[in-house]
Amino acid sequence: MDLAERLTERERLRLAALHEYRLLDSPAGDELEAVVRVAAAVARVPHATLNLIDENRQCQLTTVGFEGGDSDRSDSMCAVRFETGIFTYLPDASVDPDFKDNPWVTGVHAGVRLYASAPLVTPEGHALGSLCVFDVVPGVLDEDQIARLEDLARIILALFERRRQARINAELAALAEQRQRWTDTLLDTIDVAVVAADRNGRLTLFNRAAREWHGLDADRGVEPAYRAGRYQLFETDGRTPLAPHRLPLLRALRDGEVRGAEMIVKCPGREPMQVSVSGRALTGPGGAPQGAVVAMHDVTSARAQQRVIEDARRELAAANTELRRSNTDLSNFAGAVSHDLVAPLAAVGGYLEQIRAEVHGEPLRWADAASRAVTRMRDLIRALLDYAQAGRAPVRRATADLADICEHVRTDLRPAAEEAGAVVEVAGTLPEVAGDPVLIRQLLQNLIGNAIKYRDPARACRVTVSAGHDGRGWTVQVADNGLGIPPEQRERVFDMFTRLGNGTANGHGIGLSTCWRIVERHGGRIRVDGTPGGGTTVSFTLPEETPSGS
């Protein structure tokens, strides 16, 4: 099939889809008219129209701001691009080469300038026409207005489909009444339970699915008051018998219609079924009541899934509540530690210093050991407080100058660096990022301090801080030439209280956990790699500086 034949076949299918909706030359109806009015309001223009394109013409089904009608398809602005399925937006149609000579632009039909058209494309890809808005002066539409116009085009298609479905349903209902025998055969082939009653409420029809679900054939002699018991019908709790006035079939007969009523059917030998029931009263010529019919859909699995989802939501809510309580406890613990542990340790340390000044020999060694234990305990408490603070304090995002922060960290760590003979340097230029300067300073201080602490005694310690951009954000690296971390242990170094098993780590296993927590709260990632030539490189990501006014 060559290109011309394919285009002809595509147009044939498009026209078939258009005519299937039976919209041409029919009243638009209140809903479609309302949508077109909303489109004009969204675009803030005086004119809008719902156009359908058939073989030869543009049919304006309903319009706003001008008297609609039919025009030649060759004159239509919407027909120029509607089959592409792409939204057309022209701030000034008079300067667009595809539209400037169109009769709707030149003044023959109108003097269109601002023009926007949302194609009406079916799920099968057939373009039926477009939702069009326009003005006689140039103008602009923002992205939100365009998106809403596209939403309205989808609503129009849904209304088309609903109208088509309503027509089909009405035709099927009429056919069912005229061809009862054919209907009975049809009903016994479907997996939807159908039950009908006459105008007095006596059962007249149980199709195959209904018989299987209820386990009994229709019994004309069962009075409505006893029907729930006979057919084991219950409320959705599965325990409360369905009251006679709640029976969906009788509701349809009494009220004219029932939609989405749910109940439980307990058939002996089968698992209980939850069904959704919809139906309506049946009327004959002149509106005379004839009875009612309902259709039941098995929603057991769907409702079970809903219950699972609801249970999961409740569990998640409970977990969140417990997490908030846990965080509160952690905050309270941190406060207690700060007040109740640090102060006594300071006193113990002071007394030990006095004892060390008065004793010699073995007692002095005991006092030295106790003093070192107090120092370790104080460091552990400080690390725990840092970890708690990193997770508790709000992230106060601002413009954080990494170069300035890094310089402050170098100043803070200068005594430790000089004692260790370490060089802390910056490679290249460090950027400004969006983050909490206090937490980022704590992060860099932990990483650089670790690099100095776990240096390789066989060579001069060197720590290098650098940053690079990957198109999504900044990656900061703190690289050292120290002892390094074995590859098999790099995945778990961010866990609380993790210490390396090679005997080189003498910390508390909290510092890197604190670093992970700070980076995670900034929406970034952190990882550990080896430094070429030996050592450790810690990389973490941070977002770019937040643009002004965002």
Side-chain angles (χ1 to χ4, degrees):
M1 183 182 294
D2 61 22
L3 178 60
E5 290 174 327
R6 288 199 299 271
L7 292 175
T8 300
E9 176 64 13
R10 179 179 176 184
E11 177 66 0
R12 186 188 67 78
L13 294 174
R14 187 192 75 80
L15 292 172
L18 173 63
H19 293 303
E20 169 66 17
Y21 284 100
R22 301 184 188 179
L23 295 163
L24 293 168
D25 304 314
S26 298
D30 294 341
E31 292 174 326
L32 291 175
E33 291 175 355
V35 173
V36 176
R37 288 195 299 271
V38 171
V42 167
R44 299 188 182 95
V45 298
H47 308 294
T49 176
L50 173 55
N51 296 329
L52 299 177
I53 310 295
D54 69 5
E55 298 92 326
N56 304 307
R57 60 177 175 148
Q58 170 180 274
C59 174
Q60 293 177 326
L61 200 62
T62 182
T63 61
V64 172
F66 70 104
E67 187 70 23
D70 292 353
S71 60
D72 290 341
R73 179 172 175 171
S74 60
D75 289 347
S76 170
M77 294 181 71
C78 292
V80 174
R81 296 178 182 170
F82 81 112
E83 289 186 280
T84 66
I86 300 173
F87 190 94
T88 298
Y89 163 49
L90 306 175
D92 187 351
S94 68
V95 298
D96 188 282
D98 291 338
F99 293 88
K100 65 180 182 178
D101 297 325
N102 189 278
W104 287 88
V105 177
T106 61
V108 174
H109 296 311
V112 174
R113 292 297 179 267
L114 170 62
Y115 171 80
S117 175
L120 305 174
V121 183
T122 69
E124 294 76 23
H126 302 305
L128 309 181
S130 66
L131 172 63
C132 171
V133 296
F134 65 91
D135 202 347
V136 295
V137 295
V140 294
L141 298 177
D142 60 30
E143 292 181 359
D144 187 65
Q145 289 173 297
I146 291 173
R148 299 295 77 75
L149 290 173
E150 291 175 327
D151 289 342
L152 291 174
R154 284 188 282 270
I155 290 172
I156 288 173
L157 281 171
L159 293 174
F160 286 175
E161 182 62 23
R162 191 178 73 175
R163 182 181 292 189
R164 187 178 75 89
Q165 289 294 333
R167 187 192 75 245
I168 292 172
N169 292 341
E171 292 171 353
L172 288 176
L175 183 62
E177 291 179 2
Q178 297 169 6
R179 302 175 59 185
Q180 186 63 50
R181 185 175 301 175
W182 178 86
T183 302
D184 290 342
T185 303
L186 172 66
L187 291 175
D188 276 343
T189 64
I190 62 177
D191 292 326
V192 176
V194 180
V195 180
D198 63 18
R199 61 184 180 181
N200 296 314
R202 292 191 298 267
L203 298 177
T204 59
L205 170 67
F206 257 32
N207 75 337
R208 174 194 55 82
R211 292 191 297 272
E212 291 176 356
W213 294 2
H214 292 76
L216 295 168
D217 288 334
D219 186 343
R220 296 175 183 268
V222 179
E223 294 294 327
Y226 305 103
R227 199 169 290 163
R230 176 67 182 273
Y231 293 111
Q232 294 292 286
L233 308 181
F234 294 84
E235 297 284 358
T236 53
D237 61 8
R239 299 185 299 274
T240 307
L242 209 61
H245 72 279
R246 295 271 297 155
L247 292 172
L249 185 61
L250 298 184
R251 289 170 59 187
L253 186 64
R254 179 184 68 240
D255 302 332
E257 186 177 34
V258 63
R259 288 184 179 273
E262 296 196 9
M263 63 182 184
I264 302 292
V265 180
K266 294 184 178 181
C267 172
R270 293 175 60 105
E271 290 294 323
M273 295 179 61
Q274 186 162 348
V275 297
S276 176
V277 189
S278 296
R280 61 185 305 168
L282 302 174
T283 57
Q290 299 292 309
V293 61
V294 294
M296 290 174 277
H297 298 267
D298 183 3
V299 296
T300 307
S301 297
R303 297 300 175 264
Q305 291 175 356
Q306 287 180 351
R307 287 191 290 272
V308 169
I309 292 173
E310 290 169 359
D311 289 344
R313 286 174 176 169
R314 284 193 291 270
E315 290 177 4
L316 180 59
N320 286 335
T321 299
E322 176 61 20
L323 181 60
R324 286 192 292 270
R325 184 200 62 77
S326 177
N327 286 338
T328 300
D329 289 347
L330 180 60
S331 298
N332 294 338
F333 169 74
V337 165
S338 177
H339 182 270
D340 297 335
L341 293 182
V342 174
L345 279 177
V348 171
Y351 283 122
L352 286 172
E353 287 299 318
Q354 294 183 28
I355 291 173
R356 291 175 68 247
E358 300 294 332
V359 298
H360 303 280
E362 190 70 16
L364 178 59
R365 287 194 295 274
W366 295 341
D368 287 341
S371 181
R372 288 193 298 270
V374 168
T375 299
R376 287 196 300 272
M377 177 63 74
R378 186 171 60 247
D379 291 344
L380 174 59
I381 292 171
R382 184 180 298 110
L384 286 171
L385 288 173
D386 287 344
Y387 182 79
Q389 178 66 22
R392 182 181 75 248
V395 176
R396 296 180 173 87
R397 292 188 183 273
T399 298
D401 187 336
L402 287 184
D404 184 59
I405 292 175
C406 189
E407 188 58 35
H408 284 295
V409 170
R410 292 169 65 183
T411 299
D412 292 343
L413 295 175
R414 182 171 292 121
E418 290 176 349
E419 181 181 351
V423 175
V424 180
E425 61 185 4
V426 174
T429 302
L430 296 182
E432 292 183 342
V433 297
D436 188 320
V438 174
L439 292 179
I440 293 175
R441 179 170 178 172
Q442 182 182 355
L443 169 64
L444 284 175
Q445 188 145 345
N446 273 350
L447 295 178
I448 297 173
N450 274 355
I452 296 172
K453 184 176 184 180
Y454 302 119
R455 61 190 178 275
D456 186 344
R459 54 184 170 182
C461 177
R462 181 172 295 274
V463 185
T464 304
V465 182
S466 61
H469 196 278
D470 62 0
R472 293 174 296 179
W474 288 100
T475 298
V476 182
Q477 292 186 330
V478 178
D480 64 50
N481 63 346
L483 295 170
I485 298 174
E488 67 275 8
Q489 299 190 39
R490 292 171 185 169
E491 291 294 327
R492 62 185 186 89
V493 293
F494 298 109
D495 296 338
M496 279 287 285
F497 303 114
T498 295
R499 300 173 65 187
L500 299 183
N502 57 10
T504 61
N506 56 6
H508 306 290
I510 300 174
L512 285 178
S513 297
T514 303
C515 293
W516 176 87
R517 204 167 194 183
I518 292 171
V519 173
E520 188 269 341
R521 295 194 66 201
H522 280 81
R525 302 175 307 280
I526 186 169
R527 58 176 291 169
V528 171
D529 297 294
T531 302
T536 300
T537 297
V538 180
S539 305
F540 61 90
T541 60
L542 290 173
E544 295 186 76
E545 181 184 4
T546 303
S548 177
S550 64

